[in-house]
Amino acid sequence: MNRPWPELDYLSWRETCSALHLYLQIAGKYRLAQTPWLNHSWHATFYVTPRGLTSSPIPDGSGIEILFDFHDHRVLGMNGEGAVSSFALEPMTVSAFHAAFLQLVTALGGTPVFNGQPNEVPYPIPFAEDDRERPYDGAAVHCFHQGLIAIDRVFKQFRTGFLGKSSPVHLFWGSFDLAVTRFSGRRATRHRGGIPALPDSVAQEAYDREVSSAGFWPGGGGLDYPAFYAYAYPTPGGYRAAAVQPEGAFWHEPLGEFILPYEAVQSSADPDAALLSFLTSTYEAAAELGRWDREGLDCDHGEPGRVRPADPHLPEAASQPSAPENLSNESDVMREDGPAKGRYRLILDGVEAEMTYSRAGEGLIIIDHTEVPAALRGRKVGERLVRRAVEDARRDGIALIPLCPFAKAQIDRHPEWQDVLRRS
């Protein structure tokens, strides 16, 4: 049974929240500097664990993992040789945290070299120069973590209902949000950039594909309360007027996103179901209005221990699709020959493939086109059509010119067929 969702009051811990945001940026920028780029900045994020937030292994030294432990309120570093280093999360300055983090990475055999400027925050001050004292409210951080555990659970359940490309459920330290994103599979229009303290190149790479994205903010950035959000990029026509669930969700015009206050979920009779309805209804609005291929992308939500049913629309596999005896026997390839044009055709499982040709004189045939439907791909149907044409050419004593790129590629791969080519 799921535990009750905690109450979260952003205004009561916003100074601690702001400090934690900057601390995660320091650790995140270290991971960013050491890890090869993965699409849409997925290589730089953090993940929710039962104890807090983890970087996962960072390829530096023998391998280093950074854990923000919100039970014991410490930052832990571990390396591949078994060494552990840590320091306390407590009231301090950002510059003090930065110095302690550099020392931790050095102790683990890593290279603590990374960009020292915050991103996506107003009036950024370099970490090493931020000497303002920051509070640390351990009880509020613990409640925040308990909320993240619940949200992470529902986000992951939502993620199981999609067959297309989908992001992990991960926390972006730039905007300090836990997010999950679905992709239509199509390219998007180029993002205009202009996000404060974020390079345009990063924003443009992040949004170079059509997305429907949802996430959670603890507060800040124009909201004085924790909230869930959902948006589509590019925004399809009519999206902001879409009917979304549950009651309490609304379109926030300045942000250009749907917003659902955390309190509306936390106080509902079934918080998991309330959040899932928000995630589902905002995705459906984006996918329907954006004309996504929902039949090919959507599926039922997963259940523990139950294999997802196979796609009922897949064609049945041939009993022996690649048996050598079937490949050499071309008797099922039919030929329709005319005075000027003709074609070879093969029907499998009710689906027809063809290869057409034209006559160019008494002893010359030009293969001009091959068409193999997608349902027959991978069954060497095109190869069988070309093989039959080669055998007929030998029997009839004529030459072939494969103008069709597919036929030419097949003959190029089979030197034993090239005796039928026209010699210049």
Side-chain angles (χ1 to χ4, degrees):
M1 180 176 179
N2 296 330
R3 297 176 61 182
W5 288 44
E7 293 184 6
L8 299 178
D9 179 11
Y10 171 69
L11 293 180
S12 70
W13 79 294
R14 60 182 171 182
E15 289 299 318
T16 294
C17 184
S18 174
L20 185 61
H21 183 188
L22 292 171
Y23 301 160
L24 281 160
Q25 289 215 7
I26 291 169
K29 281 178 169 284
Y30 164 63
R31 185 183 179 200
L32 176 69
Q34 298 295 330
T35 309
W37 198 279
L38 182 62
N39 49 249
H40 317 300
S41 301
W42 293 358
H43 62 302
T45 55
F46 283 83
Y47 312 96
V48 176
T49 78
R51 295 201 68 86
L53 292 167
T54 181
S55 65
S56 77
I58 297 168
D60 185 26
S62 61
I64 294 175
E65 181 175 2
I66 304 298
L67 171 66
F68 282 71
D69 185 335
F70 297 144
H71 286 265
D72 291 339
H73 301 288
R74 299 188 68 80
V75 176
L76 283 83
M78 299 152 279
N79 71 12
E81 297 174 345
V84 177
S85 182
S86 71
F87 62 90
L89 284 167
E90 59 188 1
M92 66 176 76
T93 66
V94 173
S95 62
F97 180 98
H98 180 259
F101 184 80
L102 297 185
Q103 185 176 357
L104 178 146
V105 173
T106 301
L108 295 172
T111 306
V113 178
F114 51 88
N115 183 282
Q117 187 84 0
N119 289 114
E120 299 183 67
V121 296
Y123 313 112
I125 300 171
F127 302 125
E129 300 174 16
D130 190 341
D131 294 322
R132 181 165 67 89
E133 289 291 335
R134 309 274 181 156
Y136 186 80
D137 185 339
V141 171
H142 180 74
C143 285
F144 169 61
H145 175 233
Q146 295 304 302
L148 288 181
I149 290 176
I151 296 163
D152 180 74
R153 177 181 66 242
V154 179
F155 279 14
K156 286 176 176 173
Q157 180 186 6
F158 171 67
R159 189 172 183 261
T160 66
F162 195 69
L163 295 173
K165 175 181 171 180
S166 178
S167 78
V169 178
H170 47 194
L171 186 138
F172 284 101
W173 42 262
S175 49
F176 202 29
D177 60 319
L178 190 71
V180 61
T181 302
R182 292 177 171 182
F183 295 77
S184 74
R186 301 188 301 240
R187 289 181 171 86
T189 55
R190 187 176 299 277
H191 195 279
R192 291 178 294 179
I195 298 174
L198 183 70
D200 287 350
S201 59
V202 175
Q204 289 168 351
E205 192 273 342
Y207 292 104
D208 65 359
R209 297 295 187 270
E210 287 185 345
V211 302
S212 172
S213 191
F216 167 75
W217 281 313
L223 295 177
D224 289 334
Y225 52 88
F228 301 96
Y229 66 81
Y231 65 87
Y233 182 82
T235 306
Y239 180 67
R240 68 184 62 199
V244 300
Q245 299 174 353
E247 185 178 356
F250 64 95
W251 178 260
H252 192 289
E253 191 64 41
L255 293 176
E257 302 177 354
F258 285 106
I259 294 294
L260 174 64
Y262 173 86
E263 184 181 7
V265 172
Q266 184 268 335
S267 62
S268 67
D270 188 341
D272 286 40
L275 176 53
L276 191 59
S277 70
F278 178 71
L279 301 173
T280 301
S281 62
T282 52
Y283 159 70
E284 289 178 343
E288 285 296 314
L289 294 169
R291 299 183 180 180
W292 289 26
D293 176 20
R294 296 196 61 194
E295 183 178 354
L297 295 172
D298 295 1
C299 65
D300 292 336
H301 289 124
E303 298 180 14
R306 181 181 177 185
V307 178
R308 180 179 63 80
D311 188 339
H313 301 292
L314 291 176
E316 293 294 329
S319 56
Q320 291 181 313
S322 59
E325 59 270 24
N326 289 343
L327 291 178
S328 61
N329 181 6
E330 308 307 323
S331 60
D332 50 356
V333 176
M334 296 168 281
R335 182 179 184 181
E336 298 175 357
D337 192 31
K341 294 181 178 295
R343 69 170 182 155
Y344 291 94
R345 55 193 290 260
L346 176 60
I347 300 176
L348 292 176
D349 303 328
V351 181
E352 181 181 81
E354 71 168 3
M355 183 177 71
T356 61
Y357 62 84
S358 302
R359 292 190 176 275
E362 187 69 23
L364 186 63
I365 281 180
I366 299 173
I367 301 175
D368 47 37
H369 180 68
T370 305
E371 181 69 32
V372 179
L376 299 181
R377 303 273 169 82
R379 300 172 66 175
K380 298 194 174 184
V381 169
E383 179 181 340
R384 295 167 68 177
L385 295 171
V386 178
R387 184 191 298 271
R388 174 64 188 277
V390 169
E391 293 179 351
D392 287 356
R394 286 175 179 155
R395 183 197 64 211
D396 299 338
I398 62 174
L400 299 180
I401 298 178
L403 290 186
C404 165
F406 176 84
K408 183 178 185 307
Q410 286 292 326
I411 293 175
D412 287 345
R413 283 199 293 267
H414 291 81
E416 71 276 15
W417 293 356
Q418 295 173 12
D419 59 296
V420 300
L421 295 179
R422 186 183 69 169
R423 305 299 176 185
S424 56

